[in-house]
Amino acid sequence: MARAVLDPQLADKAGSTSKAATTQYVYFFGDGKADGNGRMKDVLGGKGAGLAEMTNAGLPVPPGFTIQTEACREYMRGKLSHQIEDEMLTALEKLEKLQGQKLGTGENPLLVSVRSGAKFSMPGMMDTILNLGLNDTAVEALAKRSGNPRFAYDSYRRLIQMFGDVVLDIPKKKFEHIFDGVKAAKKVKFDYELGPDSLQKIIAEYKKLVKKETGKEFPQDPLVQLVAARDAVFRSWQNERAKTYRRINHIDDWLGTAVNVQAMVFGNLGENSGTGVGFTRNPATGEHMFFGEYLMNAQGEDVVSGVRTPNPISELEKAMPKVYEQLKDITRRMEKHYRDMQDFEFTIQDGKLYMLQTRNGKRTGLAAVRVAIDMVREGLITQEEAIFRVEPNQLYDFLVPRLVEKGEKIEVLSTGLPASPGAAVGQIVFSAEDAVKYHTNGAYKSVILVRGETTPEDIAGMEVASGILTSRGGMTSHAAVVTRGMGKCCVAGAGDCTIDEKKKEMRVKGKVFHEGDWLSLDGTTGRIINGRLNTLPVNPDNPDLIQFMGWVDERRRLRVLANADIPRDAKQAQAFGAQGIGLCRTEHMFFAEDRLPHMQAMILAKTEEDRRAALAKLLPMQRADFQGLLKCMGSLPVVIRLLDPPLHEFLPKREDLLVQIAKLEATHPKSPKLKELHKILERVEELHELNPMLALRGCRLGITYPEITEMQAHAIFEAAAAVKKSGADPHLEIMIPLIAGPEEFKAQAAIIHAVAHDVFIKKGLAVDYKVGTMIELPRACIVADKIAADAEFFSFGTNDLTQTTFGISRDDCNKFLPAYLQQGIFKQDPFAVLDQEGVGTLIKMAANKGRSARRDLEIGICGEHGGEPESVKFCHRAGLDYVSCSPYRLLTARLAAAQAAIEEQKIFNPDLRTGNSK
Amino acid sequence: MARAVLDPQLADKAGSTSKAATTQYVYFFGDGKADGNGRMKDVLGGKGAGLAEMTNAGLPVPPGFTIQTEACREYMRGKLSHQIEDEMLTALEKLEKLQGQKLGTGENPLLVSVRSGAKFSMPGMMDTILNLGLNDTAVEALAKRSGNPRFAYDSYRRLIQMFGDVVLDIPKKKFEHIFDGVKAAKKVKFDYELGPDSLQKIIAEYKKLVKKETGKEFPQDPLVQLVAARDAVFRSWQNERAKTYRRINHIDDWLGTAVNVQAMVFGNLGENSGTGVGFTRNPATGEHMFFGEYLMNAQGEDVVSGVRTPNPISELEKAMPKVYEQLKDITRRMEKHYRDMQDFEFTIQDGKLYMLQTRNGKRTGLAAVRVAIDMVREGLITQEEAIFRVEPNQLYDFLVPRLVEKGEKIEVLSTGLPASPGAAVGQIVFSAEDAVKYHTNGAYKSVILVRGETTPEDIAGMEVASGILTSRGGMTSHAAVVTRGMGKCCVAGAGDCTIDEKKKEMRVKGKVFHEGDWLSLDGTTGRIINGRLNTLPVNPDNPDLIQFMGWVDERRRLRVLANADIPRDAKQAQAFGAQGIGLCRTEHMFFAEDRLPHMQAMILAKTEEDRRAALAKLLPMQRADFQGLLKCMGSLPVVIRLLDPPLHEFLPKREDLLVQIAKLEATHPKSPKLKELHKILERVEELHELNPMLALRGCRLGITYPEITEMQAHAIFEAAAAVKKSGADPHLEIMIPLIAGPEEFKAQAAIIHAVAHDVFIKKGLAVDYKVGTMIELPRACIVADKIAADAEFFSFGTNDLTQTTFGISRDDCNKFLPAYLQQGIFKQDPFAVLDQEGVGTLIKMAANKGRSARRDLEIGICGEHGGEPESVKFCHRAGLDYVSCSPYRLLTARLAAAQAAIEEQKIFNPDLRTGNSK
């Protein structure tokens, strides 16, 4: 094949006029200097930029060239420039000249690796091809030159297998089947026991397989191999697992990957060769120790794939002390050069060390904090930089248990949404009642509650469960929200799992699980794992964490409050640094077993009198709740929201009643129970709403039934008065939910002020209090100035505000959200990450209008976004006073707030921008 | 009782220091001049201003004084100024001097009437007291002076009865009981047959009743009577029926009423006295004729109450020709003076004419148009003024039948929401199937469909029904919207009616109605009337209307389009002046019997292939529909909206399935039907949504299942191509619903453009088309500039935009809207009248942003508000290009648009402002 036209896509355009070449597609590196450098990640990808940087830094890097990301984008658009071909050939010739070899040709054939490398690391997500250049003649040359025919044939069969899989789309299994067949025929246990003959036989079979599957021979032309491999890497940017990874990690689908073509070095040339990976510090703990693994006489994939168990890198010191010292020296220089912990790959070929790759190492949250602190101590980075070395979400690691996976063979049954982080290992049950039963009678030590979706009625079961698994519902479904509040692991919306709550059965991956079977949940990744793994416990008093959060808190401006309803959660929140309660949901108190009947009586009441009678029974209970909470919070502010949810949430489900009645009528038409059921049904029907989210809830309850607001205000002020009498100094903020305009606010605030006046006179003391409102409807944002004329604070309820701004119910969006994310219509779930363009505009409008009417208006946010880093940063920039989030999100929110404050400063302080302030 | 302290409220404040008197509370009129004048309606109320104006104009008005509205407001606030008392006494003395009488004292006692009178007329809503000043001695003086003891005693017993009812809150019935008892004892049939003795007996019993009910004697002090009556009138401003009237007529609750105290003249002094009411023109037809009724020897309330049947005023000409001529002359002058048709009251006392009241007369829509046209011809007003003499909503009168109520005794069972105007008289049925059945087999000539609420499945029944009655749902419920589209009468949300659809039974007012019973509905007022009234037919080709609408159309800028889905409605719309179709809802076509199975198959499909197969069957049907519509509309624009509603609307109801299955399982557990039902249930469960309005609908359907959009685009363009081939020139606008941002629009528009390209190439012709979007989510308003980069037109879907801006579902708001309206939190239902402050701000924002990105962006509105006058005027001011509404709202919309245009001009043209331009 002529070198001039390599690619059919290019061939089509051969006739077109060439335009002025403005883009450099191919960047060479080698012989101590590179076309690119480490800052060019956009162009060269992380790996390509790293190779350039390492080359420039004089590290022993095998030479090669990088095809830049623009080529990938052109490939996606179906318009690959023909200029790439010229540049590739030029670079290849340069490489051949430098190495004194020809690709796949001659006595000493050049072999290359072809690897992906995007701007952001996506480990294992895209494809790689090694040993490229080998063919029927080159393999013989290699065998001859290396004096190791076994290595040569093994390299060739590996190439055919990878090329077959990645480029030609032939199922991996078919290759494995041939390989295992020969092994079985030769009765050997390990791959390396196969001799050259066997490998040659395998090669022959592999080639037959390729012919059979594709109708064509395995390509012998190394250039055809190279172009095909390049395009396969481009294609692998678009494979499903890569897309999923990007979605989860919020990586733009249009970035594309670069392709790195690099001369092969071999760790499998014999017992004097080897390969390994390592970190400059321990990526699990952050400990400052040289950390890694290696294998002698092996290629990189052997280390990564886990087929052979590698040796700890410390053993290399004994085996090859000189290489070990050189590696330590190089990596030490690398860490200083990059000013961060490095993750590197190396190969030893005939006793000579090559550095294949280096990049900032991924690490756990625990390690991230430890490394950041150590590096500040070592003078490598400033405190401000340290603050950016930890991803806010990584701080979860300090608060939740983790699964221990090392050395265990795990079976992932399915992956749902990582709804609430942490890990849970336990026996499954299919109803809240069973959860409580088995937990209480001690039959199951740890319970995992498995449900289609959870409802407020499941609370008791959720309380005792170690973890929750649901097949429906998104990141802000009931299960997700409640478990995050509890700091409990939850995997939600696991659509692969078919759950039959009646039969107490879950089906997934063709397996059936029954009550009592063991599952392990990873709420951080969403994985559902078969069987019983071990867990690592929580470590919130970690001294590193305390030091780190000290730096964080010195720098943030936003206050961070917690959403908590009961003293236990409030105490937890204070331990995690809450500066108050930003949202106490009073309705959660009504779901308790001893209260629900009174709540139901209140709802079923036909007259105001009956309603008041039921409310009178609830009053002392609410008062006691508030007293506990206020006492626990001392003089910190406590924001209490009045009753919010639709009333039918407290009643039996309409469908259940209908079915129950239909059954009874068919079987026991004279049952006296029927009358009672009909009575309940009648009221349930009256309360039935087609769109409960948009119906009788929030302040609409208090306006329709003012006696409810009266009761709640009494409970609140009487509790506050009692706490104050006992010597404390409570700071109350009463929040009216779901306000659409000033009229609603005025009507409800009047009731609250009147009750406060009554109580204070009766008790002979006054308590500091404010009355404010949730801003959670677009209309409230538009008329915020008028609302602020009376309201003393705003708290954005961004869950509802997102719902109404988008017209999307967070409970129903799982029907189309996947399609939206897949098609890139939404970059991310707006219920997880605040939509700054739409919802954010309304927030800024409301904040500005509100402050225009009341200069000292206190403004916060208490929706789920209050603990999401990007959203917290937005709140900082929008000038909010505080964010309020689940206790388990407090650390994250604090860190994000500090990062936002520093990011803001950088705009004005050029010293900070370059990290030279200290 | 001393005159110094009349009022207990005032007595409390007697000690307080008096502040500078800046407010005049009491305005005198009489003897040819008045303190006030006709322009002081704010202060004196309509009646008080009228009396002042009439007095100033030299009309024979009985003298008196008006206590201004500020006093009523002070009374409502509980802070009545004591200055009022002084002014009242001064005015009373002046009145006494003028009349040469003393209030309730002496040989010729002065008697007065005490009447309410607010800025806006509220006929019959507030209280009136006549003959005030009478007591045990004055009655004797009156008897002596008039020489008519019967009249004197009758006046006194009337006073006690009215005072007892209005001031002392004694049930009217108790007085009537006494009166009827005496009549029965005396065996007389008519009131006037009772002699002085009987009346004295009644007076004695009445006084006993007052003592028994209140513990106090009937007050003999005329001043005590006066103050108590004044306060009762103030209180009557706040009675329930007055509040309701104001709510319906959008009158501010804080205006208050004035109180008019006026010397009594008596129409019941014998056969030479009389009283009457009249109009300067016929208020039903507008005909220019002297119109009215009178009774000899009677007081005003006898005419109004309907106890005696009055005589037509023409008979007065024979009875008292001089008085008749004087009355005609005076009223002719009044009409010229006020430049509008007058409604007046008069009394003849001993052959002398007194004018008691005059005001602009209420009239029907038919009369309003006729009067307006005539007055222009007569040179009284300009065409512009004429346009304001008709309320836009009054034009319904030309389009809908009306109930004939004259002379019939009607029993109003209940009053629901006036959801769709017009009248219907028919036999009731409780299901759509029954409606179709009885209509088809001719059993019932006219059917009224009675339902809890209607759903799309009821369409066939609604089509054949004369009218619809529902017990649930608001002004924009399914029943309301659909019937308005059909121009069919509907009373919705009649909460008093308990409807049992299973038993085929309706209970209201203690009565039970069964299938086949006759009801009469008045959709214009919401009344549900027992039995079978007659109706007046529609008159759309009225030449007055045609002339009037000609003036209207010359002046409006807004284009007026119609919401219509089928050729029949489109033709109707063109007849009413539609300049195009602004909203064709494609989903309405899928509910037809022959299509629903294919629609269901499409929804139940598990794979894209099966879905495409079902869609392929729907394609030719949709194409035929569109072809019909486009053909009918010629070259006028036709806006077609893609599929919008949640899919479950096309499937059986979940609850019904659950109940059906539960019954079958209990009774026939082996029924083969169970499996099938379970299969449907499974899909229904999958599609089940907690908040369907916020779930998988609108463009989300087309994004999740692009093949639906493809099918619809094919149907549209193929239909358009066929119509164009037949020689017409269709103008298509394809509208993508429920867009939240530009990404959704781009994705859907790409499909539409691709299909258009395909079809045009295949058919060898191109059709003029635009692709635009509904703007119906707050987020779309916020990012409207980005959407307009691609979208060629916007159409505001204000139903949904109101829902999401307020976070209120229009299907559920009836749960709390009554409380909101009653408490004045909402001034009006935001689904009926556009919320200009909230939703309107978003509309203006979107229009401005949209035009900033695309200068020639076409902007309209197609929500229910498009036919509501205030909302149409807002659209004009917001700079929209068109409104689109139900065909039956087109006249209203056209008139409102013209009024808006003229109102706008007035800002710049002072001549027009005072109506002197011609």
Side-chain angles (χ1 to χ4, degrees), chain A residues 862-884:
Chain A
C862 64
E864 279 296 304
H865 300 104
E868 192 284 320
E870 284 313 310
S871 312
V872 171
K873 290 183 177 184
F874 169 82
C875 292
H876 174 97
R877 293 192 299 271
L880 268 53
D881 297 307
Y882 69 85
V883 297
S884 184

Side-chain angles (χ1 to χ4, degrees), chain A residues 724-755:
Chain A
K724 183 148 192 181
K725 226 160 222 175
S726 74
D729 181 25
H731 280 77
L732 261 182
E733 308 197 5
I734 298 178
M735 183 153 75
I736 303 169
L738 214 68
I739 291 284
E743 300 83 5
E744 291 168 311
F745 185 84
K746 277 183 193 151
Q748 289 287 285
I751 296 174
I752 295 165
H753 289 309
V755 171

Side-chain angles (χ1 to χ4, degrees), chain A residues 686 744 786 820 837, chain B residues 654 744 786 815 820 837:
Chain A
E686 273 175 39
E744 291 168 311
K786 300 200 173 150
Y820 268 58
E837 189 172 15
Chain B
R654 179 167 168 254
E744 291 167 311
K786 299 200 175 151
K815 298 244 170 27
Y820 268 58
E837 189 173 15

